[in-house]
Amino acid sequence: MDVGTSATTEPIRVLHVDDDESFGELARTYLERVDDCLDVTTATSTTTALGALDGHDCVVSDYDMPEQNGIEFLERVRDERPELPFILFTGKGSEEVASDAISAGVTDYLQKEVGTDQYTVLANRIRNAVERRRSERALDEHNRRLQTLISNLPGMVYRCRNEPGWPMEFVGGECEQLTGYPAAALEAGDAVWGEDVIHPDDRDGMWTTVQSAIDTGDPFEVTYRVVTRGGDTKVVWERGRGIRDGDGGVEAIEGFITDVTDQRRRQRRLERTSERFEALFENSPDMVNIHDADGAIVDANQRFCEELGYDRADVVGMRVWDVDTEADPEGVASMEAEMERGDVRRFDAEFERSDGSTFPVEVHLAQLEVGGERQYLAISRDVTERREREAELRRLKRQYETVFENAQDGLFLLEVVGDDDDVEFVYRQLNPAHEAMSGLSAESLVGKTEHEAFHSALGDQTTSHHRRCYERREPVEFEEVFEFPAGDIVVSGTVSPVVVDGEVTHLVGVTRDVTEFKERERALRRERDRLEEFADILSHDLRNPLNVAQGNLELARREVDADHLDTVANAHERMRTLIDDVLALARQDGTVTDLEDVALDRAAKRAWSTVATGDAALAIESEQVVRADEGRLVQLFENLFRNAVEHAPENPDDSVTVRVGDVDGGFYVEDDGFGIPEEERGRVFESGYSTADGGTGLGLTIVSELAAAHGWDVAVTEGTDEGTRIEVTGVEPAE
């Protein structure tokens, strides 16, 4: 047999030690010839050989040598290279030498013979010894690696019998960390895997799954719960397979088990997070899309598709600049290149719908890392309404600024600082009218509290109004004399709260200098008092003589029946009417403040019942209710009715009809008498104007005064039947 034909081709380096140099060379030649893998080095002394052990795979040594015999040399080799194969190739054959060699740990023993066949045998012995040693070394390395692997696995390896309970034959790795039981307890049966470790609710399912895989010869993977020695529940993942014996039966099960409790929790959290994200993505009121680093949209929610008028299949694959009219590839790439994972950018854009219409949006863009690739999440919101509101706010602000700056009344704005226990009012704005009225510049007040600005009783005066407004959360009216730098003036005003989210944030004040008005009012009041005193004197001094005259006239009529006495009676009546009208005018105070809801038909009927109307008729064509002083409204009707009757035709066949009806913004009273010429209508409200014999000329003047006291306007026009119509407008209807 040619040893050189062996499958092992790795060189085998042999150190041959023999004191016979010629025999050594001969042996080297034959050994290398019969096995071309052998590389033989010769040494003639053990001293030389000991220095050359490194780098050799086998030592072949003679027994009888001058320095040391083969056994002594073997012992020295074992001290330095205990694993090195050592073959004793000697001419001295004896059982004693062989026994000593075996005791010393010789690998093989071969006796020298005559002929060359012995070198073939030696070559085989060398190859077998080296290959055996190499196999042992490989097995040791394999076992070392396996042990290292097992010791570093995040779990345990096992071999168990395929029986109910799965009794363990071998357990390695992190058994105690996983289960709380030491490996020895499981191997000894002190704790049984299928009875003490697997969760009771998972045992039957585990057995069924594993047996099904074993029956088909496939490996199995299972996830189940275990109960640790301390009573804790963990989730484990196991992979294993059945190991068959020579007869094809299942000899055992071998596998690996690891703790996946944390992974399972993370997976569940991830699933919940994914579900929430999916719900937010699909149900978000905002438009959401995801695009890749090339700007291609990879996903979009329903809102995005609906707002743009596309199907989802149409949107996927579109570029962001196909949607955003203000975007372009270079700009998108530049912005995204500056972003890092977790960055969020906000910017305004304009989206274009499928029909070509556009709308403004606000975009929030974030970078994501998906499968090792950059993607971008864009959340967009239609801000059309917000832009319109902002434009409206800007317009209102401009209007506010215009009104504020150009208002004739004084205006100021206070900011509320602090809380209820320590609130301050800080000036933020004053208009020119307020500066002119008070003599205080905006520069001297803005940013200061009232106490800081004034340091006087004026601060206390204003603060009291402002605090009441703040506390009541309703407008507060005031009228006081203020000691401004411009002088002492009477200020009338209103402070109103600005409430935002239930909190008073600012106060707005409107002020007016009413000093002159108050002075005129006091003068008018004094004049009215004098006029009323005069009217009382007039009433007393004229009515008494008139009553005497009327009384004597009645006595005279009993004694004398003369037509001229009727003339005297008419004069007396005219004087009485004149006195009543003068008193009515004198006692008008010019304004009406006590307003109430008054039905026009009720006031008209009440007035008609107090006027001597003779054959005249009243027609009321109004159901209107107005805000008025009812007594003065009745008086106004009385004068209008009296005026209509006094100017009626004298022919009894032509009795007058007086109508009350509605006009835009008020009411009218008209008759079907002669009417008033157009050129005379401008004078009818003048004191003393009258077209009737014996008229005082004050009736319509009183009407004008009563209307003005209400803030109404009164005018004369032509009636429907060419009579006279008096229209009263500017009347406030009841709420």
Side-chain angles (χ1 to χ4, degrees), residues 321-376:
W321 44 84
D322 295 333
V323 175
D324 184 356
T325 64
E326 299 178 353
D328 57 70
E330 293 76 14
V332 171
S334 175
M335 180 177 65
E336 293 179 348
E338 298 174 355
M339 296 181 65
E340 297 181 358
R341 184 177 179 182
D343 284 355
V344 177
R345 298 289 178 90
R346 192 208 71 80
F347 57 90
D348 295 328
E350 182 183 71
F351 280 5
E352 183 176 13
R353 299 185 180 93
S354 60
D355 61 7
S357 62
T358 60
F359 59 99
V361 296
E362 180 183 83
V363 182
H364 288 79
L365 184 70
Q367 180 179 313
L368 308 174
E369 195 77 23
V370 180
E373 296 183 356
R374 285 184 296 119
Q375 290 189 349
Y376 298 88

Short mmCIF file of all heavy atoms in Angstrom, two decimals, residues 321-376:
data_model
loop_
_atom_site.label_atom_id
_atom_site.label_comp_id
_atom_site.label_asym_id
_atom_site.label_seq_id
_atom_site.Cartn_x
_atom_site.Cartn_y
_atom_site.Cartn_z
N TRP A 321 -42.60 67.88 -4.77
CA TRP A 321 -42.75 69.13 -5.53
C TRP A 321 -43.89 69.02 -6.55
O TRP A 321 -44.25 70.03 -7.16
CB TRP A 321 -41.44 69.53 -6.21
CG TRP A 321 -40.71 68.38 -6.88
CD1 TRP A 321 -40.92 67.89 -8.12
CD2 TRP A 321 -39.65 67.60 -6.29
NE1 TRP A 321 -40.08 66.85 -8.36
CE2 TRP A 321 -39.28 66.65 -7.27
CE3 TRP A 321 -39.01 67.62 -5.07
CZ2 TRP A 321 -38.27 65.72 -7.04
CZ3 TRP A 321 -38.01 66.71 -4.84
CH2 TRP A 321 -37.64 65.76 -5.81
N ASP A 322 -44.45 67.81 -6.73
CA ASP A 322 -45.67 67.69 -7.54
C ASP A 322 -46.88 68.20 -6.76
O ASP A 322 -47.91 68.53 -7.36
CB ASP A 322 -45.91 66.23 -7.94
CG ASP A 322 -44.82 65.70 -8.85
OD1 ASP A 322 -44.20 66.52 -9.56
OD2 ASP A 322 -44.58 64.48 -8.84
N VAL A 323 -46.75 68.24 -5.45
CA VAL A 323 -47.84 68.67 -4.57
C VAL A 323 -47.62 70.10 -4.08
O VAL A 323 -48.54 70.91 -4.07
CB VAL A 323 -47.97 67.71 -3.37
CG1 VAL A 323 -49.01 68.22 -2.38
CG2 VAL A 323 -48.32 66.31 -3.85
N ASP A 324 -46.38 70.39 -3.68
CA ASP A 324 -46.03 71.70 -3.13
C ASP A 324 -45.55 72.60 -4.25
O ASP A 324 -44.48 72.38 -4.83
CB ASP A 324 -44.95 71.53 -2.06
CG ASP A 324 -44.59 72.84 -1.36
OD1 ASP A 324 -45.12 73.89 -1.76
OD2 ASP A 324 -43.78 72.80 -0.42
N THR A 325 -46.32 73.64 -4.57
CA THR A 325 -45.97 74.51 -5.69
C THR A 325 -44.73 75.35 -5.41
O THR A 325 -44.11 75.87 -6.34
CB THR A 325 -47.14 75.45 -6.02
OG1 THR A 325 -47.38 76.32 -4.89
CG2 THR A 325 -48.41 74.67 -6.31
N GLU A 326 -44.38 75.50 -4.12
CA GLU A 326 -43.23 76.33 -3.77
C GLU A 326 -41.95 75.52 -3.60
O GLU A 326 -40.91 76.06 -3.24
CB GLU A 326 -43.53 77.10 -2.48
CG GLU A 326 -44.72 78.04 -2.61
CD GLU A 326 -45.04 78.77 -1.30
OE1 GLU A 326 -44.42 78.43 -0.28
OE2 GLU A 326 -45.91 79.66 -1.32
N ALA A 327 -42.01 74.19 -3.82
CA ALA A 327 -40.85 73.32 -3.63
C ALA A 327 -40.22 72.98 -4.97
O ALA A 327 -40.88 73.00 -6.02
CB ALA A 327 -41.26 72.04 -2.90
N ASP A 328 -38.93 72.65 -4.94
CA ASP A 328 -38.22 72.16 -6.12
C ASP A 328 -37.18 71.15 -5.63
O ASP A 328 -36.82 71.13 -4.45
CB ASP A 328 -37.55 73.30 -6.88
CG ASP A 328 -36.59 74.11 -6.02
OD1 ASP A 328 -35.53 73.58 -5.66
OD2 ASP A 328 -36.93 75.27 -5.69
N PRO A 329 -36.69 70.28 -6.51
CA PRO A 329 -35.77 69.22 -6.07
C PRO A 329 -34.54 69.75 -5.34
O PRO A 329 -34.12 69.19 -4.33
CB PRO A 329 -35.39 68.51 -7.38
CG PRO A 329 -36.56 68.78 -8.30
CD PRO A 329 -37.04 70.14 -7.94
N GLU A 330 -33.96 70.85 -5.84
CA GLU A 330 -32.74 71.37 -5.22
C GLU A 330 -33.03 71.90 -3.82
O GLU A 330 -32.28 71.65 -2.86
CB GLU A 330 -32.14 72.48 -6.08
CG GLU A 330 -31.60 72.01 -7.42
CD GLU A 330 -32.70 71.74 -8.44
OE1 GLU A 330 -33.85 72.18 -8.19
OE2 GLU A 330 -32.43 71.08 -9.45
N GLY A 331 -34.15 72.63 -3.67
CA GLY A 331 -34.49 73.19 -2.36
C GLY A 331 -34.80 72.11 -1.34
O GLY A 331 -34.38 72.20 -0.18
N VAL A 332 -35.54 71.09 -1.77
CA VAL A 332 -35.87 69.99 -0.86
C VAL A 332 -34.61 69.26 -0.43
O VAL A 332 -34.40 68.97 0.76
CB VAL A 332 -36.87 69.02 -1.52
CG1 VAL A 332 -37.05 67.77 -0.67
CG2 VAL A 332 -38.22 69.70 -1.74
N ALA A 333 -33.74 68.96 -1.37
CA ALA A 333 -32.51 68.24 -1.06
C ALA A 333 -31.62 69.07 -0.12
O ALA A 333 -31.01 68.54 0.81
CB ALA A 333 -31.75 67.91 -2.34
N SER A 334 -31.56 70.37 -0.34
CA SER A 334 -30.73 71.23 0.48
C SER A 334 -31.23 71.27 1.92
O SER A 334 -30.44 71.16 2.87
CB SER A 334 -30.71 72.65 -0.09
OG SER A 334 -30.00 73.52 0.75
N MET A 335 -32.55 71.42 2.10
CA MET A 335 -33.10 71.48 3.45
C MET A 335 -32.92 70.15 4.17
O MET A 335 -32.52 70.10 5.34
CB MET A 335 -34.58 71.85 3.42
CG MET A 335 -35.22 71.93 4.80
SD MET A 335 -36.94 72.45 4.76
CE MET A 335 -37.67 71.07 3.89
N GLU A 336 -33.22 69.04 3.47
CA GLU A 336 -33.13 67.74 4.12
C GLU A 336 -31.69 67.35 4.42
O GLU A 336 -31.44 66.60 5.36
CB GLU A 336 -33.81 66.69 3.25
CG GLU A 336 -35.34 66.92 3.15
CD GLU A 336 -36.03 65.91 2.27
OE1 GLU A 336 -35.32 65.17 1.55
OE2 GLU A 336 -37.27 65.87 2.27
N ALA A 337 -30.74 67.87 3.65
CA ALA A 337 -29.33 67.57 3.91
C ALA A 337 -28.87 68.19 5.23
O ALA A 337 -27.93 67.71 5.86
CB ALA A 337 -28.46 68.08 2.76
N GLU A 338 -29.53 69.26 5.65
CA GLU A 338 -29.16 69.93 6.89
C GLU A 338 -29.82 69.30 8.11
O GLU A 338 -29.50 69.65 9.24
CB GLU A 338 -29.56 71.41 6.83
CG GLU A 338 -28.85 72.18 5.72
CD GLU A 338 -29.38 73.60 5.61
OE1 GLU A 338 -30.35 73.92 6.33
OE2 GLU A 338 -28.83 74.37 4.81
N MET A 339 -30.75 68.38 7.87
CA MET A 339 -31.49 67.78 8.98
C MET A 339 -30.79 66.53 9.49
O MET A 339 -30.14 65.80 8.73
CB MET A 339 -32.92 67.42 8.55
CG MET A 339 -33.77 68.61 8.17
SD MET A 339 -35.46 68.12 7.71
CE MET A 339 -36.06 67.48 9.27
N GLU A 340 -30.93 66.28 10.78
CA GLU A 340 -30.46 65.05 11.40
C GLU A 340 -31.66 64.32 11.97
O GLU A 340 -32.76 64.87 12.09
CB GLU A 340 -29.45 65.36 12.51
CG GLU A 340 -28.18 66.03 12.00
CD GLU A 340 -27.20 66.30 13.13
OE1 GLU A 340 -27.55 65.99 14.28
OE2 GLU A 340 -26.10 66.81 12.84
N ARG A 341 -31.44 63.06 12.33
CA ARG A 341 -32.53 62.26 12.87
C ARG A 341 -33.10 62.93 14.13
O ARG A 341 -32.37 63.30 15.03
CB ARG A 341 -32.03 60.86 13.22
CG ARG A 341 -33.12 59.93 13.72
CD ARG A 341 -32.58 58.54 13.97
NE ARG A 341 -33.59 57.65 14.46
CZ ARG A 341 -33.38 56.37 14.80
NH1 ARG A 341 -32.17 55.87 14.66
NH2 ARG A 341 -34.36 55.61 15.23
N GLY A 342 -34.41 63.10 14.15
CA GLY A 342 -35.07 63.74 15.28
C GLY A 342 -35.32 65.22 15.08
O GLY A 342 -36.09 65.83 15.82
N ASP A 343 -34.66 65.83 14.06
CA ASP A 343 -34.89 67.25 13.79
C ASP A 343 -36.31 67.45 13.27
O ASP A 343 -36.86 66.59 12.57
CB ASP A 343 -33.90 67.76 12.74
CG ASP A 343 -32.52 67.99 13.33
OD1 ASP A 343 -32.39 67.83 14.55
OD2 ASP A 343 -31.60 68.30 12.56
N VAL A 344 -36.89 68.61 13.61
CA VAL A 344 -38.21 68.98 13.09
C VAL A 344 -38.10 70.39 12.52
O VAL A 344 -37.61 71.30 13.18
CB VAL A 344 -39.29 68.94 14.19
CG1 VAL A 344 -40.63 69.41 13.64
CG2 VAL A 344 -39.43 67.54 14.76
N ARG A 345 -38.53 70.55 11.28
CA ARG A 345 -38.54 71.86 10.63
C ARG A 345 -39.98 72.28 10.37
O ARG A 345 -40.81 71.46 9.98
CB ARG A 345 -37.78 71.80 9.31
CG ARG A 345 -36.31 71.45 9.46
CD ARG A 345 -35.53 72.59 10.09
NE ARG A 345 -34.12 72.23 10.27
CZ ARG A 345 -33.18 72.45 9.36
NH1 ARG A 345 -33.51 73.02 8.20
NH2 ARG A 345 -31.93 72.11 9.59
N ARG A 346 -40.27 73.58 10.61
CA ARG A 346 -41.59 74.12 10.31
C ARG A 346 -41.46 75.15 9.20
O ARG A 346 -40.58 76.01 9.24
CB ARG A 346 -42.21 74.78 11.54
CG ARG A 346 -43.69 75.11 11.39
CD ARG A 346 -44.10 76.29 12.23
NE ARG A 346 -43.56 77.53 11.72
CZ ARG A 346 -44.08 78.21 10.70
NH1 ARG A 346 -45.18 77.77 10.08
NH2 ARG A 346 -43.52 79.32 10.26
N PHE A 347 -42.33 75.05 8.20
CA PHE A 347 -42.29 76.04 7.12
C PHE A 347 -43.67 76.13 6.48
O PHE A 347 -44.52 75.25 6.63
CB PHE A 347 -41.23 75.67 6.07
CG PHE A 347 -41.40 74.31 5.44
CD1 PHE A 347 -42.16 74.14 4.30
CD2 PHE A 347 -40.82 73.19 6.02
CE1 PHE A 347 -42.33 72.90 3.72
CE2 PHE A 347 -40.98 71.94 5.46
CZ PHE A 347 -41.74 71.79 4.31
N ASP A 348 -43.89 77.24 5.79
CA ASP A 348 -45.15 77.46 5.08
C ASP A 348 -45.00 77.00 3.65
O ASP A 348 -43.92 77.11 3.04
CB ASP A 348 -45.55 78.94 5.12
CG ASP A 348 -45.86 79.41 6.54
OD1 ASP A 348 -46.35 78.57 7.32
OD2 ASP A 348 -45.61 80.59 6.85
N ALA A 349 -46.07 76.47 3.09
CA ALA A 349 -46.04 75.98 1.72
C ALA A 349 -47.42 76.23 1.08
O ALA A 349 -48.35 76.71 1.72
CB ALA A 349 -45.69 74.50 1.68
N GLU A 350 -47.49 75.87 -0.19
CA GLU A 350 -48.76 75.98 -0.92
C GLU A 350 -48.99 74.67 -1.66
O GLU A 350 -48.16 74.28 -2.49
CB GLU A 350 -48.72 77.15 -1.91
CG GLU A 350 -50.03 77.34 -2.66
CD GLU A 350 -49.95 78.47 -3.68
OE1 GLU A 350 -49.26 78.27 -4.70
OE2 GLU A 350 -50.56 79.53 -3.45
N PHE A 351 -50.07 73.97 -1.34
CA PHE A 351 -50.39 72.70 -1.98
C PHE A 351 -51.34 72.93 -3.16
O PHE A 351 -52.21 73.81 -3.10
CB PHE A 351 -51.04 71.75 -0.98
CG PHE A 351 -50.06 71.06 -0.07
CD1 PHE A 351 -48.71 71.37 -0.10
CD2 PHE A 351 -50.49 70.08 0.83
CE1 PHE A 351 -47.80 70.74 0.73
CE2 PHE A 351 -49.59 69.45 1.67
CZ PHE A 351 -48.25 69.78 1.62
N GLU A 352 -51.18 72.08 -4.16
CA GLU A 352 -52.04 72.16 -5.34
C GLU A 352 -52.89 70.89 -5.42
O GLU A 352 -52.37 69.78 -5.37
CB GLU A 352 -51.20 72.29 -6.61
CG GLU A 352 -52.05 72.44 -7.87
CD GLU A 352 -51.21 72.67 -9.11
OE1 GLU A 352 -49.98 72.47 -9.03
OE2 GLU A 352 -51.78 73.02 -10.16
N ARG A 353 -54.21 71.08 -5.55
CA ARG A 353 -55.12 69.95 -5.66
C ARG A 353 -55.10 69.40 -7.09
O ARG A 353 -54.54 70.01 -8.01
CB ARG A 353 -56.54 70.38 -5.29
CG ARG A 353 -56.68 70.89 -3.86
CD ARG A 353 -58.15 71.18 -3.54
NE ARG A 353 -58.33 71.67 -2.19
CZ ARG A 353 -58.34 72.95 -1.85
NH1 ARG A 353 -58.17 73.88 -2.80
NH2 ARG A 353 -58.52 73.32 -0.60
N SER A 354 -55.76 68.26 -7.24
CA SER A 354 -55.80 67.62 -8.56
C SER A 354 -56.53 68.49 -9.59
O SER A 354 -56.27 68.39 -10.79
CB SER A 354 -56.47 66.25 -8.46
OG SER A 354 -57.81 66.39 -7.98
N ASP A 355 -57.45 69.36 -9.11
CA ASP A 355 -58.19 70.22 -10.05
C ASP A 355 -57.45 71.53 -10.33
O ASP A 355 -57.98 72.40 -11.03
CB ASP A 355 -59.58 70.54 -9.50
CG ASP A 355 -59.54 71.28 -8.16
OD1 ASP A 355 -58.44 71.66 -7.72
OD2 ASP A 355 -60.62 71.46 -7.56
N GLY A 356 -56.24 71.68 -9.80
CA GLY A 356 -55.44 72.87 -10.07
C GLY A 356 -55.58 73.97 -9.04
O GLY A 356 -54.79 74.92 -9.05
N SER A 357 -56.56 73.88 -8.15
CA SER A 357 -56.72 74.90 -7.11
C SER A 357 -55.63 74.73 -6.05
O SER A 357 -55.10 73.63 -5.86
CB SER A 357 -58.10 74.81 -6.47
OG SER A 357 -58.28 73.55 -5.84
N THR A 358 -55.29 75.81 -5.38
CA THR A 358 -54.23 75.79 -4.38
C THR A 358 -54.75 76.30 -3.04
O THR A 358 -55.77 76.98 -2.98
CB THR A 358 -53.04 76.66 -4.82
OG1 THR A 358 -53.48 78.01 -4.99
CG2 THR A 358 -52.45 76.14 -6.12
N PHE A 359 -54.03 75.96 -2.00
CA PHE A 359 -54.38 76.45 -0.67
C PHE A 359 -53.12 76.46 0.19
O PHE A 359 -52.20 75.65 -0.01
CB PHE A 359 -55.47 75.58 -0.02
CG PHE A 359 -55.12 74.14 0.15
CD1 PHE A 359 -54.66 73.65 1.37
CD2 PHE A 359 -55.24 73.24 -0.91
CE1 PHE A 359 -54.34 72.32 1.53
CE2 PHE A 359 -54.92 71.90 -0.76
CZ PHE A 359 -54.47 71.44 0.47
N PRO A 360 -53.04 77.40 1.16
CA PRO A 360 -51.84 77.50 2.00
C PRO A 360 -51.83 76.45 3.09
O PRO A 360 -52.88 76.07 3.62
CB PRO A 360 -51.96 78.91 2.59
CG PRO A 360 -53.43 79.16 2.65
CD PRO A 360 -54.03 78.46 1.45
N VAL A 361 -50.65 75.97 3.43
CA VAL A 361 -50.50 74.96 4.49
C VAL A 361 -49.31 75.32 5.35
O VAL A 361 -48.39 76.03 4.93
CB VAL A 361 -50.31 73.53 3.92
CG1 VAL A 361 -51.54 73.07 3.17
CG2 VAL A 361 -49.08 73.46 3.03
N GLU A 362 -49.34 74.80 6.57
CA GLU A 362 -48.19 74.84 7.47
C GLU A 362 -47.68 73.42 7.61
O GLU A 362 -48.44 72.52 7.92
CB GLU A 362 -48.60 75.41 8.84
CG GLU A 362 -47.46 75.48 9.83
CD GLU A 362 -47.92 75.96 11.19
OE1 GLU A 362 -48.42 75.13 11.98
OE2 GLU A 362 -47.81 77.17 11.46
N VAL A 363 -46.38 73.22 7.36
CA VAL A 363 -45.79 71.88 7.31
C VAL A 363 -44.80 71.73 8.45
O VAL A 363 -43.98 72.61 8.70
CB VAL A 363 -45.08 71.63 5.96
CG1 VAL A 363 -44.52 70.21 5.92
CG2 VAL A 363 -46.04 71.86 4.80
N HIS A 364 -44.89 70.59 9.14
CA HIS A 364 -43.88 70.18 10.12
C HIS A 364 -43.20 68.94 9.57
O HIS A 364 -43.85 67.92 9.34
CB HIS A 364 -44.51 69.89 11.49
CG HIS A 364 -44.97 71.12 12.20
ND1 HIS A 364 -46.16 71.75 11.88
CD2 HIS A 364 -44.41 71.84 13.20
CE1 HIS A 364 -46.30 72.81 12.68
NE2 HIS A 364 -45.27 72.89 13.47
N LEU A 365 -41.88 69.02 9.34
CA LEU A 365 -41.13 67.95 8.70
C LEU A 365 -40.13 67.36 9.68
O LEU A 365 -39.38 68.09 10.33
CB LEU A 365 -40.40 68.50 7.47
CG LEU A 365 -39.63 67.48 6.62
CD1 LEU A 365 -40.60 66.56 5.89
CD2 LEU A 365 -38.74 68.20 5.61
N ALA A 366 -40.14 66.02 9.82
CA ALA A 366 -39.22 65.32 10.72
C ALA A 366 -38.51 64.21 9.96
O ALA A 366 -39.09 63.57 9.08
CB ALA A 366 -39.98 64.74 11.91
N GLN A 367 -37.22 63.99 10.30
CA GLN A 367 -36.46 62.91 9.67
C GLN A 367 -36.62 61.62 10.46
O GLN A 367 -36.60 61.62 11.69
CB GLN A 367 -34.98 63.27 9.59
CG GLN A 367 -34.14 62.17 8.92
CD GLN A 367 -32.67 62.54 8.82
OE1 GLN A 367 -32.34 63.63 8.41
NE2 GLN A 367 -31.80 61.63 9.22
N LEU A 368 -36.81 60.52 9.73
CA LEU A 368 -36.95 59.20 10.33
C LEU A 368 -35.84 58.29 9.81
O LEU A 368 -35.20 58.58 8.79
CB LEU A 368 -38.31 58.58 9.96
CG LEU A 368 -39.57 59.42 10.22
CD1 LEU A 368 -40.78 58.69 9.66
CD2 LEU A 368 -39.73 59.68 11.70
N GLU A 369 -35.62 57.19 10.53
CA GLU A 369 -34.67 56.16 10.09
C GLU A 369 -35.48 54.89 9.94
O GLU A 369 -35.94 54.31 10.93
CB GLU A 369 -33.56 55.98 11.11
CG GLU A 369 -32.37 55.21 10.59
CD GLU A 369 -31.47 56.04 9.69
OE1 GLU A 369 -31.50 57.29 9.81
OE2 GLU A 369 -30.76 55.45 8.86
N VAL A 370 -35.72 54.43 8.71
CA VAL A 370 -36.56 53.26 8.45
C VAL A 370 -35.74 52.27 7.66
O VAL A 370 -35.38 52.52 6.50
CB VAL A 370 -37.84 53.65 7.67
CG1 VAL A 370 -38.68 52.41 7.41
CG2 VAL A 370 -38.63 54.69 8.44
N GLY A 371 -35.47 51.12 8.30
CA GLY A 371 -34.70 50.08 7.62
C GLY A 371 -33.33 50.56 7.18
O GLY A 371 -32.82 50.12 6.14
N GLY A 372 -32.71 51.46 7.97
CA GLY A 372 -31.39 51.96 7.63
C GLY A 372 -31.40 53.05 6.58
O GLY A 372 -30.34 53.54 6.19
N GLU A 373 -32.57 53.45 6.12
CA GLU A 373 -32.67 54.50 5.10
C GLU A 373 -33.38 55.71 5.68
O GLU A 373 -34.26 55.60 6.52
CB GLU A 373 -33.43 53.99 3.87
CG GLU A 373 -32.73 52.85 3.16
CD GLU A 373 -33.49 52.43 1.90
OE1 GLU A 373 -34.58 52.99 1.67
OE2 GLU A 373 -33.00 51.56 1.17
N ARG A 374 -32.99 56.89 5.18
CA ARG A 374 -33.63 58.13 5.62
C ARG A 374 -34.99 58.29 4.95
O ARG A 374 -35.12 58.12 3.73
CB ARG A 374 -32.75 59.32 5.30
CG ARG A 374 -31.55 59.47 6.21
CD ARG A 374 -30.77 60.74 5.89
NE ARG A 374 -30.21 60.71 4.55
CZ ARG A 374 -30.51 61.59 3.59
NH1 ARG A 374 -31.35 62.56 3.83
NH2 ARG A 374 -29.94 61.50 2.39
N GLN A 375 -35.98 58.60 5.76
CA GLN A 375 -37.29 58.98 5.26
C GLN A 375 -37.75 60.21 6.02
O GLN A 375 -37.18 60.57 7.05
CB GLN A 375 -38.30 57.84 5.40
CG GLN A 375 -38.03 56.67 4.47
CD GLN A 375 -39.15 55.65 4.46
OE1 GLN A 375 -40.06 55.68 5.28
NE2 GLN A 375 -39.10 54.72 3.50
N TYR A 376 -38.80 60.86 5.52
CA TYR A 376 -39.24 62.11 6.10
C TYR A 376 -40.75 62.09 6.31
O TYR A 376 -41.51 61.74 5.40
CB TYR A 376 -38.85 63.29 5.21
CG TYR A 376 -37.35 63.41 5.06
CD1 TYR A 376 -36.68 62.72 4.05
CD2 TYR A 376 -36.61 64.15 5.96
CE1 TYR A 376 -35.31 62.79 3.92
CE2 TYR A 376 -35.22 64.23 5.85
CZ TYR A 376 -34.58 63.55 4.83
OH TYR A 376 -33.22 63.62 4.73
#
